Amino acid sequence: MRPNIVSEAGVQTRLAQWWEGLPFLTSAVVFVCTTIYLVCLLAGYDSFYEICFLPSAVISRFQVYRIFTAILFHGSLLHVLFNMMALVPLGSELERIMGSVRLLYIIIMLATTNALLHLLIALLVAYNPIKPFEYLMHECAIGFSGILFSMIVIETSLSGQQYRSVFGLFNVPAKWYAWILLVVFQLVMSNVSLLGHLCGILSGFAYSYGLFNFLIPGPSFYSKIEASSLLSTCVRRPKFILCTGGNPSAFIPTYSSQGTTSSGLFSGNLWRNLSSWIPQRETSSQATQDGHIFPGRGRTLGSAQGRQLSDGRQTVNNTVAAGAEIPVHHQDYVASEEEIQKLVSMGFERTQVEVALAAADGDINVAVEILSQQG
């Protein structure tokens, strides 16, 4: 009996450590969605037609609450299980890049834009003069998967990888990754919302290409929320990732938003911005230059490691600004003890810190990026 007890305790310890390693917002969404499903299961509640995203109900009865209730409820155990398993690596990766408050805002924005696109497409298809398909107006969509497809597009754009693996079976060009997943899920799984997943992909590309930049507030907005007394308990938790000190712009840059500081929709050539919604990024000399935005081999799902401050709190990974060049290494640079200790306190080894600081000519932000790629 003794070995079994030890083994069981080891599993519980590993699960506890895994849970504590999840960023604050990601673990909160997993907890909320799972709890809601279990409460519905125990209470025998299955009237999902009342809370799902139903275009006809949103328009005729103005039930806008469905935009948010639909993403929190799930129809079955496998439904909530698969969605939360997908959220853990995706949400953890993006939360470490963006910060907890900023990711929450992005999720709310994506939920809203997904719903608006869903309504628009359903109306166009249902009432087109050629061959109307009114069933889309009465399709009941539920689950977090629409947001997940948006996250897949955003994370793929941020990773900088040229190819992605589909369930570990085969590699596909990164620009088609989300579209191939859309087709695969539609073929192998029944009763899934094609329109809900499609709208998630479209919103993800719209965000990645800067079309939503005019909807995203500046860094001071997130700082004020983090400083609010209402969130003081959450902010003090080690799992909470601060936005302060992260990317200096209000939005996370992508390849196509190089040098952009305002709305991608209302700046420059309108047709060029609209056509950029479709993924057409090919490897070229321009792509090589754009690679400076996210130097290195890029991040895979769930591979980013949140760095710890001296008080144990995680802080968002700094992203190199668009077009920034890594300084040329000068042999005569000697890192100061203060700079070394600052990076060592983040969890990096002293020897690697000294090498990275020398390679970055003392630029701590660039040194952090170099150390992250090595890790």
Side-chain angles (χ1 to χ4, degrees):
M1 294 297 295
R2 184 66 179 176
N4 292 336
I5 295 175
V6 174
S7 176
E8 183 178 355
V11 171
Q12 293 176 352
T13 302
R14 288 194 294 270
L15 287 176
Q17 291 175 346
W18 170 81
W19 180 256
E20 287 301 318
L22 295 181
F24 180 82
L25 181 62
T26 301
S27 59
V29 173
V30 171
F31 176 79
V32 169
C33 290
T34 304
T35 301
I36 288 176
Y37 172 76
L38 292 177
V39 170
C40 291
L41 183 65
L42 295 175
Y45 180 85
D46 58 358
S47 301
F48 298 119
Y49 201 76
E50 299 175 355
I51 47 87
C52 68
F53 186 78
L54 189 64
S56 59
V58 174
I59 294 177
S60 62
R61 297 191 289 272
F62 200 65
Q63 296 177 344
V64 294
Y65 66 86
R66 292 175 178 267
I67 295 175
F68 304 104
T69 57
I71 67 175
L72 297 177
F73 286 77
H74 293 79
S76 67
L77 177 60
L78 289 179
H79 190 196
V80 67
L81 180 63
F82 286 147
N83 277 359
M84 295 304 101
M85 287 176 61
L87 172 64
V88 166
L90 279 170
S92 299
E93 172 79 2
L94 292 178
E95 188 171 353
R96 290 181 179 118
I97 295 174
M98 298 181 178
S100 300
V101 173
R102 177 154 39 189
L103 181 59
L104 176 60
Y105 180 87
I106 296 301
I107 289 176
I108 295 173
M109 183 190 71
L110 290 173
T112 305
T113 54
N114 286 358
L116 293 177
L117 285 172
H118 195 136
L119 281 176
L120 178 61
I121 296 176
L123 285 170
L124 292 176
V125 174
Y127 299 107
N128 75 86
I130 301 175
K131 189 176 181 180
F133 293 92
E134 295 187 8
Y135 76 93
L136 287 179
M137 293 296 297
H138 307 287
E139 182 184 65
C140 187
I142 192 172
F144 204 79
S145 54
I147 304 295
L148 290 175
F149 268 88
S150 297
M151 286 184 167
I152 289 172
V153 173
I154 296 171
E155 195 278 338
T156 300
S157 178
L158 290 173
S159 72
Q161 292 187 338
Q162 296 298 317
Y163 294 91
R164 303 306 296 262
S165 174
V166 179
F167 306 120
L169 300 176
F170 55 90
N171 293 332
V172 298
K175 62 181 180 180
W176 301 117
Y177 179 59
W179 301 103
I180 292 176
L181 287 181
L182 175 69
V183 174
V184 169
F185 279 115
Q186 199 64 31
L187 292 177
V188 303
M189 301 180 69
S190 60
N191 200 28
V192 296
S193 175
L194 173 64
L195 185 54
H197 292 172
L198 174 63
C199 292
I201 292 177
L202 296 179
S203 290
F205 277 117
Y207 172 83
S208 297
Y209 286 105
L211 300 183
F212 290 161
N213 289 348
F214 69 100
L215 296 174
I216 303 177
S220 60
F221 172 80
Y222 309 113
S223 299
K224 289 179 181 178
I225 294 179
E226 291 171 348
S228 171
S229 59
L230 297 176
L231 289 182
S232 59
T233 303
C234 298
V235 172
R236 286 197 298 266
R237 294 179 62 87
K239 298 173 61 168
F240 193 95
I241 300 179
L242 298 173
C243 299
T244 307
N247 180 54
S249 61
F251 53 92
I252 301 298
T254 59
Y255 288 103
S256 63
S257 63
Q258 185 171 356
T260 302
T261 57
S262 60
S263 163
L265 183 59
F266 299 107
S267 61
N269 183 278
L270 179 62
W271 169 248
R272 183 175 66 252
N273 290 315
L274 291 177
S275 63
S276 68
W277 200 338
I278 302 175
Q280 296 177 343
R281 293 172 290 172
E282 300 290 343
T283 302
S284 62
S285 57
Q286 179 63 33
T288 302
Q289 296 174 1
D290 290 339
H292 291 299
I293 303 175
F294 299 98
R297 296 186 300 273
R299 308 179 182 91
T300 56
L301 297 185
S303 64
Q305 300 296 325
R307 293 185 287 278
Q308 301 287 333
L309 295 176
S310 57
D311 62 353
R313 185 183 305 168
Q314 287 182 303
T315 183
V316 63
N317 293 334
N318 285 329
T319 306
V320 179
E325 298 286 344
I326 298 178
V328 178
H329 168 54
H330 292 288
Q331 298 293 336
D332 57 351
Y333 178 80
V334 178
S336 66
E337 185 64 24
E338 181 181 358
E339 294 171 332
I340 294 174
Q341 289 301 325
K342 185 174 183 179
L343 294 182
V344 169
S345 67
M346 294 182 181
F348 300 113
E349 294 183 3
R350 182 182 179 90
T351 303
Q352 294 180 343
V353 166
E354 293 175 350
V355 174
L357 282 171
D361 280 347
D363 191 317
I364 294 181
N365 291 331
V366 176
V368 168
E369 288 296 325
I370 296 174
L371 290 166
S372 300
Q373 295 300 327
Q374 292 176 348

